[in-house]
Amino acid sequence: MRTRIWGALAGLLAAAPWAYAQPRPVVTLGRPVVTLGGPVALGTPDSGLTRTAYSAADNQPIVRMAMDPLTGPAAPPPGVAPVVPYAPPLPPAGALPPPPPPGGVLPAPGCGCSPRVWASADYLLWWIKDGPLPGPLVPVGTPPAGINPAALSQLSALAVGGGRTLNYGTLNGLRFTVGGWIGGSNIGVEGSAFLLERGADGASVNATAQQFAFIPIPTDAAAVSVSSNSRLWGAEINGLYHLVPGDTFDVAVIGGFRYLNLQENLNLTAGAVSGQLGVPVSAYISDRFQTYNNFYGLQPGIRASFHYGKVSADATFKLAFGWTSETSNVNGVKVAVADGAVTSLRGGIYAQPTNIGRRTSDEFAVLPEFTFNVGYNFTPNFRVYVGYNFLYISEVLRPGRTIDPVVNVSQLGGTVPGAPPFRPAPQLNGTDFWAQGINFGVQYKF
């Protein structure tokens, strides 16, 4: 037994020089150490986290590795190649870059304003404020001798315009909008325009053996009609800035220029036929009151949008400040045919020489507008929506507000009277106006 133990110890002592001559692994701090062919041993620390690997053959340093986080890696000793950290291989020369993301352009970080361009079309179903009237537009005067005054009560019951306004009904219209974000920024631009169809309203009175105050002849038959038309359209261009960009909720401020156009007219016509003077006589009388309103203003505003899955909603408020250029154009004419002879005179019923002509005025005005839409996104690019619009302007000129409801028989001959009263007088009485309704729209983004 003792002999076996001594034999094992002798074998171990004989193998020790051979084992010591074998290369030993080196423990590195962060990266492998390239040995120079001989056995190595780990040296003692120099400073901080610095370690030096030594060759066991000649006790010379191989690679000095500095891991000090403040000073970085120390330079290797002279004649020793530094250890180069690993880097991914570069693509071969002439290789194509990776393909761009879908859509071709990446939005700016945090912009939240993709897609870049959008276009929408809306069908409008709107109503506008009724047109004002100064009162009954078919006045009844004292008939000449020989005309039955009992007929006056019948005509008064048919008076046009008494206690009513001009109702233009439901109006159809269209609106188009195009906008986009500039590059990868939060700045964008948007333009929009809308047009409503021409609205119309009117009434008429037919009478027999009646006497109207503005027809200076006895009549066997007479008719008076009132008609009016209204048309509204507008356009705007705005800059946008994404104040709170996001995929779910975003807010953009608006600033730009606003234009609005309102054109209206009111026509009053009368015709009469008489044989009571011994010869056939017919008369035609016409008044035309036209107004033109052009609003120009600067417009700030704000828009908020909310997106949840395929459902979205947005609300926009804009407030334009500017002026309304108001124009009134009044014309009137009388045409009489007696025994084949035609006579034409300047002036009609309420449009007479004292107020006929064109007049203009510029008035300060504000124009607020509110829009709210709720939509559904069938695809990321295609959306349908329904909404409500309200538009108001504080100052416009409307035809009924340009009528001075006076029939001056001294001007029926077509000349201005030489003495007062000089009526009807020109009237430029401004009023407010609104338009509101629902819209149905489609929007495409790309």
Side-chain angles (χ1 to χ4, degrees), residues 193-196 231-235 259-263 293-294:
F194 79 93
L195 171 67
L196 294 182
R231 168 160 285 181
L232 177 70
W233 70 278
Y259 172 76
L260 188 74
N261 180 278
L262 175 64
Q263 300 181 31
N293 297 274
N294 294 283

Side-chain angles (χ1 to χ4, degrees), residues 125-391:
L125 193 63
W126 281 16
W127 298 266
I128 65 174
K129 185 178 181 180
D130 289 354
L133 288 172
L137 294 181
V138 185
V140 177
T142 302
I147 301 300
N148 182 8
L152 296 179
S153 60
Q154 300 175 17
L155 185 60
S156 298
L158 298 173
V160 177
R164 61 157 291 183
T165 56
L166 296 167
N167 184 349
Y168 299 102
T170 303
L171 305 179
N172 302 296
L174 294 173
R175 178 171 56 201
F176 298 97
T177 304
V178 176
W181 298 105
I182 300 174
S185 68
N186 288 322
I187 299 175
V189 64
E190 182 181 75
S192 180
F194 79 93
L195 171 67
L196 294 182
E197 68 174 327
R198 188 181 301 275
D201 190 22
S204 61
V205 173
N206 297 305
T208 302
Q210 307 294 332
Q211 173 62 30
F212 298 105
F214 46 77
I215 301 179
I217 59 171
T219 60
D220 294 324
V224 179
S225 66
V226 176
S227 63
S228 179
N229 292 286
S230 178
R231 168 160 285 181
L232 177 70
W233 70 278
E236 60 185 294
I237 184 167
N238 297 293
L240 307 175
Y241 179 76
H242 242 139
L243 190 64
V244 182
D247 295 331
T248 301
F249 180 77
D250 63 83
V251 177
V253 294
I254 300 171
F257 175 78
R258 184 69 182 261
Y259 172 76
L260 188 74
N261 180 278
L262 175 64
Q263 300 181 31
E264 296 184 308
N265 63 65
L266 191 154
N267 304 309
L268 178 62
T269 59
V273 178
S274 175
Q276 300 184 35
L277 299 180
V279 294
V281 176
S282 62
Y284 171 81
I285 306 175
S286 175
D287 285 350
R288 185 172 179 85
F289 296 85
Q290 297 172 297
T291 57
Y292 306 91
N293 297 274
N294 294 283
F295 171 82
Y296 309 90
L298 298 178
Q299 174 175 258
I302 189 168
R303 174 182 298 157
S305 303
F306 175 78
H307 306 271
Y308 182 78
K310 291 183 175 293
V311 178
S312 61
D314 61 83
T316 304
F317 177 76
K318 295 173 285 189
L319 181 61
F321 301 87
W323 74 95
T324 303
S325 178
E326 303 172 341
T327 301
S328 169
N329 192 23
V330 179
N331 284 294
V333 65
K334 291 186 290 288
V335 178
V337 180
D339 199 19
V342 179
T343 303
S344 179
L345 300 174
R346 184 169 180 254
I349 306 170
Y350 299 107
Q352 296 188 348
T354 50
N355 66 337
I356 285 177
R358 184 182 183 91
R359 297 169 178 85
T360 61
S361 176
D362 291 333
E363 303 291 339
F364 173 78
V366 295
L367 193 159
E369 181 182 12
F370 173 75
T371 304
F372 177 75
N373 295 312
V374 176
Y376 184 82
N377 298 325
F378 284 94
T379 71
N381 301 94
F382 182 71
R383 174 185 181 226
V384 298
Y385 55 91
V386 60
Y388 169 77
N389 301 259
F390 181 80
L391 182 150

